Amino acid sequence: MTSQVSSPAEQADGSVVGEQRKPGGAKDVRRLDRVIIRFAGDSGDGMQLTGDRFTSETASFGNDLSTLPNFPAEIRAPAGTLPGVSSFQLHFADHDILTPGDAPNVLVAMNPAALKANIDDVPRGAEIIVNTDEFTKRAMQKVGYDTSPLEDGSLDGYHLHPVPLTTLTVEALKEFDLTRKEAERSKNMFALGLLSWMYHRPTEGTEKFLNAKFAKKPDIAAANIAAYRAGWNFGETTEDFAVSYEVAPAAKAFPPGTYRNISGNLALAYGLIAASRQADLPLFLGSYPITPASDILHELSKHKNFGVRSFQAEDEIAGIGAALGAAFGGSLAVTTTSGPGVALKSETIGLAVSLELPLLVVDIQRGGPSTGLPTKTEQADLLQAMYGRNGEAPVPVIAPRTPADCFDAALEAARIALTYRTPVFLLSDGYLANGSEPWRIPETDELPDLAVRFAQGPNHTLDDGTEVFWPYKRDPHTLARPWAVPGTPGLEHRIGGIEKQDGTGNISYDPANHDLMVRTRQAKIDGIDVPDVEVDDPDGARTLVLGWGSTYGPITAAVRRLRGAGEAVAQAHLRHLNPFPHNLGTVLRRYDKVVIPEMNLGQLATLIRAKYLIDAQSYNQVNGMPFKAEQLATVLKEAIDG
């Protein structure tokens, strides 16, 4: 049998579709080039798990994807309230994409709070699937609905699908020996099954996942699988869903290789393990749990077989103290935290600067100040990383740009720390940490050689001919001091926080020596070998948009939109923030206008203005969410025209 394809149609999000009509009364199948889905409900409704499973199946299908989990800081926020809404947005496509999308094409709302919290983001013409069982008078009044939005006409501009998800789930599980409350917990799997049918997602992976997750409770596993299948079958049989959709694999978006879906924190953990193997050093993590960095501790604790030692300390100060001790002992030492933890670690970071030992300080930034917004994202720790210590204590700073790039950023941070004997800041953020995308698993011969040579014997000859070990005698090229493992005969030396004498490392209060040591430590950081910044400028633009960290996706998507509309705009993105690439000043002076979008109040812009005397235009957002591409495109268009 053959199928007929209708002419393409334009969807609410601008994606092009084709319609495939199946004979014999079967449902239509429409082809889309991309889709944005948002699952939303109470923080106890399993929205993160639902989104994660849909993402995993989408990755295995071969689509390019980007995700945005968004959840409250409370372990169990008040049920049915706006602050308690948890959501998971997934953007997947048959081509290369960069962001989780500006606005969802499909919203799955498990209760009135989820609908009200998200409806303003949903464009007219989009599809909304609501769990009608939760739209009781009390639940609606709790979030300010005087009348039912399902009946008062306020949703007439959308394709509304009222589905009694709870009732259907309980009915599907009536053969299981479960209480109604236990059965209701599987309604997220019913919703997942329905969406999996709508978008032709594979099912085998989710069923294997459920069997593994509930291996010790096979009845619960069977119930969840039954609910999942019931959701799929409901989509197939109900008349309310007359169309399903296909999004082809993104075959042309990826270079050849083996891929997997990966989050930023997982990629970072793998990068740290890879760095330790490439350096042939044991990996030591000294950490205190803090959102959104804790997943790195969780992951590294699983890998003792790779020589990883993870230490969950009683507080942030103990965590970095143990890590610095491990660095002294010859390990690749790491401490992970977020902004509040960096404040507590600052004195020990200064000690690491003075001791000149390699130490990776991984800061997964979140909204601040103080406790701030633990589960929301921000880029507001840049100046803290640059200057948040007493005295002149320069520290290299690097930042990954995407979740998958966290792997490479970890290797680069390790390279700098080991080569130059210095603590290094790695600035990720909550958006990268929790978001995910496809990652090409590298071959081992693609990884950098990070081999370290420890000091083995005397390195200096005194005037009387005696050979001694000087712990602060420097490599003339890198200005790094030797790294001597404790217990090596003849290499005993003093360390501590008081200023050292150049070369010998003896305690020194001499003013001239202090001036020399301060300037030498600064020169060491200034001389770090970092790649030149690359500029994407195909049109000879007069406006440059400069970014760092997780703004890469939204900025690049905005630049693509502008170029598609015929505008000339250049783009550059910084991985190395201290020191800056050596060609950065030359690049900036080539443009009439430089625009710097940041999720802070202009911290990189402040550094750029101070160092290069460039009148950079700062565009800032500190609402706990990443930029939207359309938002940035509008700002950049105004800058070009202004």
Side-chain angles (χ1 to χ4, degrees):
M1 294 187 296
T2 60
S3 59
Q4 296 178 347
V5 179
S6 68
S7 59
E10 189 78 10
Q11 294 300 285
D13 71 332
S15 60
V16 177
V17 305
E19 186 167 323
Q20 193 175 44
R21 297 192 178 277
K22 295 187 176 181
K27 295 188 177 185
D28 294 337
V29 178
R30 294 180 185 169
R31 294 197 306 271
L32 306 177
D33 65 353
R34 65 187 182 95
V35 175
I36 303 167
I37 297 174
R38 184 181 297 177
F39 299 94
D42 270 337
S43 56
D45 282 340
M47 293 297 93
Q48 303 304 317
L49 175 62
T50 304
D52 184 66
R53 289 314 312 158
F54 196 96
T55 298
S56 294
E57 298 295 3
T58 296
S60 68
F61 187 72
N63 296 119
D64 195 9
L65 62 90
S66 180
T67 68
L68 177 62
N70 186 17
F71 43 88
E74 291 81 8
I75 294 174
R76 185 66 174 91
T81 64
L82 294 176
V85 172
S86 174
S87 67
F88 188 105
Q89 183 162 304
L90 165 68
H91 183 191
F92 61 102
D94 65 2
H95 57 277
D96 175 36
I97 59 173
L98 297 154
T99 74
D102 288 358
N105 310 121
V106 182
L107 172 65
V108 180
M110 302 297 281
N111 60 17
L115 178 65
K116 187 156 190 176
N118 291 280
I119 191 62
D120 288 343
D121 293 338
V122 183
R124 295 284 174 169
E127 298 196 62
I128 300 177
I129 301 171
V130 297
N131 180 14
T132 56
D133 289 326
E134 295 296 324
F135 279 73
T136 63
K137 184 176 181 180
R138 181 181 179 184
M140 289 187 290
Q141 288 178 342
K142 185 181 289 188
V143 295
Y145 281 128
D146 296 325
T147 60
S148 173
L150 309 184
E151 301 171 356
D152 62 9
S154 60
L155 300 179
D156 286 350
Y158 306 92
H159 296 296
L160 181 65
H161 301 281
V163 180
L165 287 172
T166 306
T167 299
L168 291 171
T169 302
V170 172
E171 178 66 21
L173 303 184
K174 62 182 181 181
E175 64 184 73
F176 292 88
D177 186 21
L178 300 173
T179 65
R180 179 179 177 86
K181 186 175 182 180
E182 291 172 332
E184 288 178 357
R185 290 174 182 163
S186 297
K187 62 181 181 290
N188 64 323
M189 288 296 105
F190 189 101
L192 177 59
L194 173 57
L195 269 293
S196 297
W197 171 83
M198 284 182 65
Y199 292 97
H200 295 251
R201 299 296 91 186
T203 61
E204 295 82 0
T206 293
E207 294 193 8
K208 288 181 180 178
F209 168 82
L210 291 171
N211 277 319
K213 181 177 179 63
F214 299 107
K216 296 182 179 180
K217 298 179 180 179
D219 291 344
I220 300 297
N224 277 282
I225 291 172
Y228 178 61
R229 292 175 177 173
W232 177 284
N233 293 333
F234 177 78
E236 183 70 34
T237 57
T238 183
E239 295 181 1
D240 191 35
F241 293 90
V243 178
S244 63
Y245 304 92
E246 288 183 347
V247 180
K252 297 180 180 180
F254 306 118
T258 302
Y259 286 79
R260 60 157 292 164
N261 182 49
I262 201 164
S263 68
N265 274 352
L266 183 57
L268 212 158
Y270 286 177
L272 294 172
I273 295 172
S276 74
R277 295 298 83 210
Q278 292 302 105
D280 195 23
L281 298 175
L283 177 64
F284 181 90
L285 173 67
S287 182
Y288 179 76
I290 184 172
T291 302
S294 299
D295 284 341
I296 302 173
L297 170 61
H298 299 160
E299 182 62 33
L300 289 179
S301 67
K302 303 175 184 177
H303 296 289
K304 296 181 178 64
N305 56 314
F306 286 113
V308 179
R309 296 172 182 168
S310 56
F311 170 59
Q312 179 175 322
E314 66 268 27
D315 56 37
E316 296 280 4
I317 299 172
I320 190 172
L324 185 56
F328 178 63
S331 293
L332 176 59
V334 184
T335 188
T336 54
T337 189
S338 190
V342 173
L344 293 167
K345 295 178 188 291
S346 61
E347 184 178 7
T348 307
I349 297 171
L351 176 60
V353 171
S354 177
L355 298 183
E356 301 189 46
L357 287 170
L359 174 68
L360 303 187
V361 182
V362 178
D363 177 6
I364 313 298
Q365 300 165 95
R366 72 190 204 189
S370 189
T371 307
L373 304 173
T375 60
K376 310 301 180 184
T377 194
E378 207 164 87
Q379 288 183 296
D381 294 350
L382 176 56
L383 293 183
Q384 180 178 229
M386 287 285 293
Y387 304 120
R389 294 162 295 284
N390 65 296
E392 299 289 343
V395 173
V397 181
I398 72 168
R401 60 177 60 182
T402 68
D405 187 49
C406 290
F407 178 86
D408 294 321
L411 285 163
E412 175 65 356
R415 177 191 73 86
I416 293 173
L418 295 172
T419 302
Y420 296 91
R421 310 288 197 263
T422 177
V424 177
F425 260 101
L426 194 159
L427 293 182
S428 180
D429 62 45
Y431 172 34
L432 296 184
N434 297 317
S436 60
E437 66 176 353
W439 171 58
R440 187 182 72 84
I441 302 172
E443 301 294 334
T444 54
D445 59 6
E446 297 174 347
L447 300 177
D449 181 6
L450 302 179
V452 173
R453 293 186 61 184
F454 291 110
Q456 298 297 324
N459 61 356
H460 184 76
T461 303
L462 299 177
D463 292 341
D464 63 3
T466 304
E467 292 187 338
V468 296
F469 174 67
W470 275 15
Y472 281 83
K473 185 169 185 176
R474 301 179 183 278
D475 182 295
H477 301 291
T478 65
L479 297 182
R481 78 175 187 90
W483 192 4
V485 176
T488 306
L491 304 190
E492 298 84 355
H493 60 282
R494 178 185 290 110
I495 63 169
I498 296 178
E499 184 63 280
K500 316 327 181 265
Q501 184 182 47
D502 180 38
T504 68
N506 296 329
I507 291 174
S508 173
Y509 296 98
D510 178 65
N513 178 79
H514 177 62
D515 184 275
L516 173 65
M517 294 296 279
V518 168
R519 294 180 186 276
T520 301
R521 288 189 289 262
Q522 184 66 57
K524 180 174 70 171
I525 303 307
D526 292 341
I528 291 174
D529 181 23
V530 302
D532 283 349
V533 64
E534 297 181 358
V535 184
D536 177 14
D537 184 1
D539 305 312
R542 303 312 308 160
T543 299
L544 171 72
V545 55
L546 179 68
W548 70 278
S550 66
T551 58
Y552 174 78
I555 288 174
T556 307
V559 167
R560 287 182 180 178
R561 293 190 185 199
L562 289 172
R563 290 176 181 171
E567 300 288 346
V569 59
Q571 177 187 0
H573 207 80
L574 294 175
R575 162 171 285 180
H576 297 88
L577 298 157
N578 191 34
F580 285 131
H582 297 300
N583 69 329
L584 180 57
T586 303
V587 166
L588 295 174
R589 294 184 184 97
R590 291 208 304 255
Y591 295 91
D592 296 335
K593 299 175 183 176
V594 177
V595 183
I596 305 179
E598 297 181 80
M599 292 187 295
N600 55 44
L601 294 184
Q603 297 188 14
L604 175 61
T606 297
L607 296 174
I608 293 295
R609 292 185 185 116
K611 185 172 181 63
Y612 300 107
L613 303 181
I614 297 291
D615 187 20
Q617 299 178 32
S618 189
Y619 180 70
N620 311 114
Q621 172 178 296
V622 282
N623 62 6
M625 298 294 288
F627 285 113
K628 294 181 178 179
E630 184 63 33
Q631 166 193 5
L632 286 182
T634 300
V635 170
L636 296 177
K637 179 66 166 64
E638 292 173 352
I640 293 170
D641 295 341

